[in-house]
């Protein structure tokens, strides 16, 4: 069931989104060569807690950390680790959720560690720009498939592939609500978007094959060919005037 939020609920969701976006920005400022993904997770955890919220991902279906930290060929759901150190030239996707006053925010961003290859930068740019292009068209009256189509077209026309096994989603009292928001689809298909809907749009874009494997830890999702993947996500609210990005930092 797709829930529609009241303006009072949207204020609370902006509060959750602000903390989520702030935690991501703090992560971006902290990232440096030699840092462990465990230490990066601590930065995010401490930011969220210091702002009176709870990390949405911690213990979610048993996930052991506050953020998903996914390096290079890890697409999503990377588990932070004391032994995994960031290296110059890595790209690192950080996915964060914050829960406060009964509502969640959900946002992700891929960061560069030092200087990265032009190929890695181009993949990151395409992924981020496809998210912004989708947000641009999100307004009452269109359908979820219109958003999906924009993301797919943007990335595939640049030679990238779209992960199909994982999708965006509604956000609210639950971290994952209806509807599903795939990064592939047809214009004019899927649920109609109305005022008060809150969705997370989250392109997961691969340099090579769209196929992914889940590691035996049950979480870590890697590209099947070992090539790079990027991930950007915002939680947005649909207003009469278009989309409001709830997870922008101040
Ligand atoms: Mg997320
Ligand atoms: Mg999400």
């Amino acid at each position: 069931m797709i829930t529609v939020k009241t303006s009072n609920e949207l204020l609370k969701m902006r509060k959750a989104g602000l903390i989520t976006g702030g935690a991501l920005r703090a992560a971006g400022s902290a990232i440096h060569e030699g840092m462990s993904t465990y230490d990066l997770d601590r930065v995010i955890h401490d930011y969220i807690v210091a702002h009176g919220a709870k990390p949405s991902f911690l213990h979610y279906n048993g996930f052991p950390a506050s953020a998903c930290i996914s390096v290079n060929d890890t697409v999503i759901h990377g588990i932070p680790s004391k032994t995994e150190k960031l290296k110059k030239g890595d790209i690192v996707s950080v996915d964060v959720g914050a829960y406060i006053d009964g509502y969640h925010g959900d946002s992700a961003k891929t960061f560069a560690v030092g200087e990265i290859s032009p190929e890695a930068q181009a993949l990151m740019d395409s992924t981020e720009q496809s998210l912004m292009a989708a947000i641009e068209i999100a307004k009452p009256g269109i359908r979820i498939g219109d958003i999906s189509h924009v993301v797919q077209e943007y990335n595939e026309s640049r030679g990238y592939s779209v992960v199909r096994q994982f999708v965006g989603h509604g956000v609210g009292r639950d971290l994952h609500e209806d509807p599903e928001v795939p990064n592939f689809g047809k214009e004019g298909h899927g649920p109609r978007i109305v005022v008060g809907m809150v969705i997370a749009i989250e392109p997961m874009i691969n340099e090579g094959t769209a196929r992914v494997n889940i590691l035996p830890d049950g979480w870590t999702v890697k590209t099947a060919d070992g090539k790079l993947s990027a991930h950007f996500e915002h939680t947005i609210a649909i207003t009469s005037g278009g989309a409001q990005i709830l997870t922008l930092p101040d």
Side-chain angles (χ1 to χ4, degrees):
M1 192 190 70
I2 299 174
T3 62
V4 168
K5 278 75 177 177
T6 64
S7 53
N8 185 44
E9 286 180 293
L10 291 182
L11 287 176
K12 291 180 179 176
M13 292 203 71
R14 171 57 183 149
K15 192 172 168 189
L18 190 58
I19 297 169
T20 304
L24 257 189
R25 186 169 58 188
S29 307
I31 283 172
H32 61 271
E33 201 184 331
M35 183 183 211
S36 74
T37 53
Y38 176 88
D39 284 339
L40 183 54
D41 180 68
R42 296 315 301 173
V43 169
I44 292 156
H45 177 274
D46 292 350
Y47 183 97
I48 291 171
V49 170
H51 287 78
K54 286 186 178 156
S56 301
F57 301 172
L58 187 59
H59 310 314
Y60 182 86
N61 292 333
F63 190 76
S66 297
C68 298
I69 301 181
S70 306
V71 180
N72 293 334
D73 63 333
T74 301
V75 180
I76 49 168
H77 300 169
I79 301 172
S81 149
K82 286 182 177 169
T83 57
E84 184 180 45
K85 303 276 168 68
L86 298 175
K87 300 184 304 296
K88 193 172 88 176
D90 283 346
I91 61 171
V92 53
S93 300
V94 180
D95 195 350
V96 173
Y99 178 77
I100 190 166
D101 294 346
Y103 294 88
H104 294 275
D106 190 4
S107 186
K109 185 169 181 171
T110 302
F111 297 97
V113 183
E115 200 178 313
I116 59 170
S117 70
E119 292 78 14
Q121 186 64 54
L123 172 69
M124 285 168 55
D125 290 347
S126 183
T127 307
E128 183 170 27
Q129 287 159 9
S130 72
L131 169 61
M132 299 321 288
I135 291 171
E136 191 82 12
I137 66 145
K139 59 173 191 241
I142 72 159
R143 291 181 183 270
I144 291 292
D146 297 320
I147 286 176
S148 305
H149 178 77
V150 163
V151 174
Q152 179 177 16
E153 192 58 32
Y154 197 96
N155 290 290
E156 288 186 351
S157 68
R158 286 162 178 77
Y160 301 120
S161 65
V162 170
V163 173
R164 289 166 180 257
Q165 224 168 309
F166 298 90
V167 296
H169 50 91
V171 188
R173 290 191 170 278
D174 292 319
L175 180 59
H176 296 118
E177 298 186 349
D178 290 336
E180 287 195 342
V181 184
N183 295 305
F184 55 94
K186 290 198 182 95
E187 289 172 300
H189 285 67
R192 184 152 333 255
I193 289 175
V194 299
V195 171
M197 272 176 69
V198 177
I199 54 174
I201 306 175
E202 51 177 316
M204 293 156 253
I205 305 302
N206 293 353
E207 196 180 19
T209 180
R211 285 184 303 110
V212 297
N213 296 320
I214 302 175
L215 296 193
D217 64 24
W219 285 107
T220 313
V221 178
K222 284 186 173 278
T223 59
D225 57 8
K227 292 188 175 176
L228 297 176
S229 186
H231 181 207
F232 284 80
E233 174 180 32
H234 272 305
T235 300
I236 65 166
I238 305 301
T239 72
S240 55
Q244 180 198 1
I245 302 178
L246 297 176
T247 43
L248 277 184
D250 243 346

